[in-house]
Amino acid sequence: MKPETDPVPLLQVEGVGKRYGARIGCADVSFDLFPGEVMGIVGESGSGKSTLLNCLAGHLEPDEGRVIFDTRAEGPVDTLTMSEPARRMLGRTDWAFVHQHARDGLRMSVSAGGNIGERLMAVGERHYGHIRDTATDWLGRVEIAADRIDDRPTAFSGGMQQRLQIARNLVTGPRLVFMDEPTGGLDVSVQARLLDLLRGLVRDMGLSAIIVTHDLAVVRLLAHRLMVMKDGHVVETGLTDQVLDDPQHSYTQLLVSSVLQV
Ligand SMILES: Nc1ncnc2c1ncn2[C@@H]1O[C@H](COP(=O)(O)OP(=O)(O)OP(=O)(O)O)[C@@H](O)[C@H]1O
């Protein structure tokens, strides 16, 4: 029996490609992302993961293709042709971007509470008491003690900085989160805790996310679906467990077996 209404994808990516001169960044990438779905993008260094993520998030202009987002106000809109102010507003409301290096996503000279609060102010929140309460609540959610609210991120460990960056990104209740190696560069034990936290937040908030990583353990834990990239092209895609347990493409087989050997 046909479902009554087919779900509308939150994001439709159609034939996205980007070149750097003669070199391919990424080529002919297409997929749909549905609400509440987490897509992992894996591949070795230089395979085009970051190029693709930055094209999707509007940080880089692709040479070809369309990136259609289901906006709250107007329904599906091609984000590549929307006006710059409209795209900026999307970046402050429905979209979030978690950088690999927390310092790229935080304001290091502003207190932890300020880092969270200024995102609320950017979407129109003005009440100081409410902003501070919400910031305190979010510090708790990312396991940072409330009495650190007036400390600057420079006084935080790498793991704490990353958790603060996540709080700053999620406080406005985005619907789509882009993450670039969110656990990269952290100690293994810190990574495990962060992954756990991210998994809880994604589940509890029903977030859709696109996560770039070279760490298969990250996608195993977080991603419903997986895209494997090599030399700018998608070579395999499918449900995460299926792709990792029964890889079809020789490159994916190599990726999976090289992880098992370490
Ligand atoms: N600014 C740039 N100028 C020229 N070439 C670039 C630029 N950025 C990326 N490239 C090239 O595009 C290709 C894809 O790079 P990209 O950084 O997207 O890969 P990646 O999979 O994200 O790698 P990593 O995991 O190391 O970040 C590579 O061949 C890279 O050398």
Short mmCIF file of all heavy atoms in Angstrom, two decimals, residues 4 8 16 32 39 49 52 55 59-60 68 74 84 91 107 115 150 159-160 186 201 215 217 222 251:
data_model
loop_
_atom_site.label_atom_id
_atom_site.label_comp_id
_atom_site.label_asym_id
_atom_site.label_seq_id
_atom_site.Cartn_x
_atom_site.Cartn_y
_atom_site.Cartn_z
N GLU A 4 0.24 7.52 2.61
CA GLU A 4 -0.66 8.61 2.23
C GLU A 4 0.10 9.83 1.70
O GLU A 4 -0.24 10.40 0.69
CB GLU A 4 -1.50 9.02 3.44
CG GLU A 4 -2.65 8.06 3.65
CD GLU A 4 -3.40 8.30 4.93
OE1 GLU A 4 -3.38 9.45 5.40
OE2 GLU A 4 -3.98 7.35 5.46
N VAL A 8 8.71 14.80 2.64
CA VAL A 8 9.49 15.73 1.80
C VAL A 8 10.91 15.75 2.33
O VAL A 8 11.11 15.88 3.54
CB VAL A 8 8.89 17.16 1.91
CG1 VAL A 8 9.71 18.15 1.11
CG2 VAL A 8 7.45 17.15 1.47
N VAL A 16 25.90 18.11 -7.51
CA VAL A 16 26.83 19.16 -7.05
C VAL A 16 28.27 18.81 -7.44
O VAL A 16 28.74 17.69 -7.25
CB VAL A 16 26.71 19.35 -5.52
CG1 VAL A 16 27.88 20.17 -4.98
CG2 VAL A 16 25.39 20.04 -5.19
N ASP A 32 19.27 12.67 -1.16
CA ASP A 32 18.23 13.33 -0.38
C ASP A 32 18.49 13.06 1.09
O ASP A 32 18.92 11.96 1.46
CB ASP A 32 16.84 12.74 -0.70
CG ASP A 32 16.34 13.19 -2.07
OD1 ASP A 32 16.91 14.16 -2.62
OD2 ASP A 32 15.40 12.56 -2.57
N MET A 39 23.42 11.66 7.89
CA MET A 39 24.21 11.13 6.78
C MET A 39 25.69 11.29 7.10
O MET A 39 26.14 12.38 7.46
CB MET A 39 23.86 11.92 5.51
CG MET A 39 24.76 11.68 4.33
SD MET A 39 24.47 10.07 3.57
CE MET A 39 23.18 10.50 2.43
N LYS A 49 35.55 15.36 0.85
CA LYS A 49 34.51 15.46 1.89
C LYS A 49 34.27 16.92 2.31
O LYS A 49 33.14 17.38 2.36
CB LYS A 49 34.92 14.65 3.15
CG LYS A 49 35.30 13.22 2.87
CD LYS A 49 35.70 12.49 4.14
CE LYS A 49 36.92 13.01 4.89
NZ LYS A 49 38.20 12.86 4.19
N LEU A 52 32.72 19.10 -0.41
CA LEU A 52 31.28 18.84 -0.54
C LEU A 52 30.51 19.51 0.61
O LEU A 52 29.52 20.21 0.38
CB LEU A 52 31.02 17.34 -0.57
CG LEU A 52 29.54 16.93 -0.58
CD1 LEU A 52 28.84 17.48 -1.81
CD2 LEU A 52 29.39 15.41 -0.52
N CYS A 55 30.29 23.16 0.18
CA CYS A 55 29.35 23.51 -0.90
C CYS A 55 27.92 23.41 -0.39
O CYS A 55 27.08 24.26 -0.68
CB CYS A 55 29.52 22.58 -2.10
SG CYS A 55 30.98 22.91 -3.10
N HIS A 59 29.29 27.65 2.21
CA HIS A 59 30.58 28.31 2.45
C HIS A 59 31.43 28.37 1.17
O HIS A 59 32.39 29.12 1.09
CB HIS A 59 31.38 27.56 3.52
CG HIS A 59 30.71 27.56 4.86
ND1 HIS A 59 31.13 26.77 5.91
CD2 HIS A 59 29.64 28.25 5.32
CE1 HIS A 59 30.34 26.97 6.95
NE2 HIS A 59 29.43 27.86 6.62
N LEU A 60 31.10 27.51 0.23
CA LEU A 60 31.82 27.46 -1.04
C LEU A 60 30.77 27.44 -2.15
O LEU A 60 29.73 26.79 -1.98
CB LEU A 60 32.59 26.14 -1.15
CG LEU A 60 34.08 26.05 -0.95
CD1 LEU A 60 34.53 24.63 -1.21
CD2 LEU A 60 34.83 27.02 -1.83
N ILE A 68 18.78 22.08 -2.45
CA ILE A 68 17.43 22.57 -2.16
C ILE A 68 17.05 22.23 -0.73
O ILE A 68 17.08 21.06 -0.32
CB ILE A 68 16.43 21.94 -3.16
CG1 ILE A 68 16.81 22.37 -4.57
CG2 ILE A 68 15.00 22.35 -2.83
CD1 ILE A 68 16.16 21.55 -5.65
N GLU A 74 8.87 29.09 3.09
CA GLU A 74 8.51 29.01 1.67
C GLU A 74 8.58 27.61 1.08
O GLU A 74 8.43 27.44 -0.12
CB GLU A 74 9.44 29.92 0.86
CG GLU A 74 9.27 31.39 1.15
CD GLU A 74 10.42 32.20 0.56
OE1 GLU A 74 10.74 31.98 -0.62
OE2 GLU A 74 11.00 33.01 1.30
N GLU A 84 21.85 36.65 -0.39
CA GLU A 84 22.85 36.50 0.67
C GLU A 84 22.23 36.71 2.07
O GLU A 84 22.46 35.92 2.97
CB GLU A 84 24.01 37.47 0.40
CG GLU A 84 25.26 37.24 1.21
CD GLU A 84 25.72 35.79 1.26
OE1 GLU A 84 25.70 35.10 0.22
OE2 GLU A 84 26.08 35.32 2.37
N GLY A 91 21.57 30.42 8.10
CA GLY A 91 22.73 30.00 8.88
C GLY A 91 22.58 30.30 10.36
O GLY A 91 23.22 29.67 11.20
N ARG A 107 33.81 32.28 19.69
CA ARG A 107 34.51 33.55 19.85
C ARG A 107 35.33 33.42 21.11
O ARG A 107 34.79 33.37 22.23
CB ARG A 107 33.51 34.67 19.92
CG ARG A 107 32.89 34.86 18.53
CD ARG A 107 32.81 36.28 18.11
NE ARG A 107 31.81 36.98 18.86
CZ ARG A 107 31.94 38.23 19.29
NH1 ARG A 107 33.07 38.90 19.07
NH2 ARG A 107 30.97 38.80 19.95
N ASN A 115 29.09 33.21 24.44
CA ASN A 115 29.13 32.46 23.19
C ASN A 115 27.78 31.83 22.87
O ASN A 115 27.37 31.77 21.71
CB ASN A 115 30.19 31.35 23.27
CG ASN A 115 31.50 31.78 22.63
OD1 ASN A 115 31.61 31.86 21.41
ND2 ASN A 115 32.50 32.09 23.46
N ASP A 150 31.14 32.28 33.15
CA ASP A 150 31.81 33.54 32.85
C ASP A 150 33.26 33.35 32.39
O ASP A 150 33.96 34.32 32.11
CB ASP A 150 31.75 34.45 34.09
CG ASP A 150 30.31 34.85 34.39
OD1 ASP A 150 29.57 35.16 33.43
OD2 ASP A 150 29.91 34.82 35.57
N GLY A 159 38.21 19.26 24.70
CA GLY A 159 36.89 18.61 24.71
C GLY A 159 35.79 19.56 25.16
O GLY A 159 34.69 19.59 24.60
N MET A 160 36.11 20.37 26.18
CA MET A 160 35.11 21.35 26.67
C MET A 160 34.82 22.40 25.60
O MET A 160 33.67 22.81 25.41
CB MET A 160 35.62 22.05 27.93
CG MET A 160 35.56 21.21 29.18
SD MET A 160 36.48 21.99 30.52
CE MET A 160 35.34 23.25 31.05
N LEU A 186 40.96 15.15 19.04
CA LEU A 186 40.77 15.01 20.49
C LEU A 186 41.29 13.65 20.95
O LEU A 186 41.35 12.70 20.17
CB LEU A 186 39.28 15.12 20.84
CG LEU A 186 38.59 16.45 20.49
CD1 LEU A 186 37.09 16.33 20.67
CD2 LEU A 186 39.14 17.57 21.36
N LEU A 201 22.06 14.15 21.84
CA LEU A 201 21.46 15.41 21.39
C LEU A 201 20.75 15.25 20.05
O LEU A 201 19.64 15.74 19.85
CB LEU A 201 22.54 16.50 21.28
CG LEU A 201 23.10 17.03 22.60
CD1 LEU A 201 24.34 17.89 22.36
CD2 LEU A 201 22.04 17.84 23.34
N ASP A 215 36.75 8.86 10.36
CA ASP A 215 36.71 7.87 11.44
C ASP A 215 35.43 7.04 11.34
O ASP A 215 34.33 7.53 11.59
CB ASP A 215 36.76 8.63 12.78
CG ASP A 215 36.87 7.69 13.96
OD1 ASP A 215 36.59 6.49 13.80
OD2 ASP A 215 37.24 8.18 15.04
N ALA A 217 34.30 4.77 13.18
CA ALA A 217 33.60 4.57 14.47
C ALA A 217 32.59 5.69 14.69
O ALA A 217 31.51 5.48 15.26
CB ALA A 217 34.61 4.54 15.61
N LEU A 222 26.84 7.34 14.82
CA LEU A 222 25.94 8.48 14.62
C LEU A 222 25.09 8.43 13.36
O LEU A 222 24.00 8.98 13.34
CB LEU A 222 26.76 9.78 14.58
CG LEU A 222 27.39 10.27 15.88
CD1 LEU A 222 28.17 11.54 15.61
CD2 LEU A 222 26.32 10.54 16.92
N TYR A 251 37.18 0.00 -2.82
CA TYR A 251 37.76 1.06 -2.00
C TYR A 251 37.16 1.04 -0.59
O TYR A 251 37.88 1.20 0.40
CB TYR A 251 37.50 2.42 -2.67
CG TYR A 251 37.97 3.59 -1.84
CD1 TYR A 251 39.33 3.85 -1.67
CD2 TYR A 251 37.06 4.44 -1.23
CE1 TYR A 251 39.76 4.91 -0.90
CE2 TYR A 251 37.47 5.51 -0.46
CZ TYR A 251 38.82 5.74 -0.30
OH TYR A 251 39.25 6.79 0.45
#
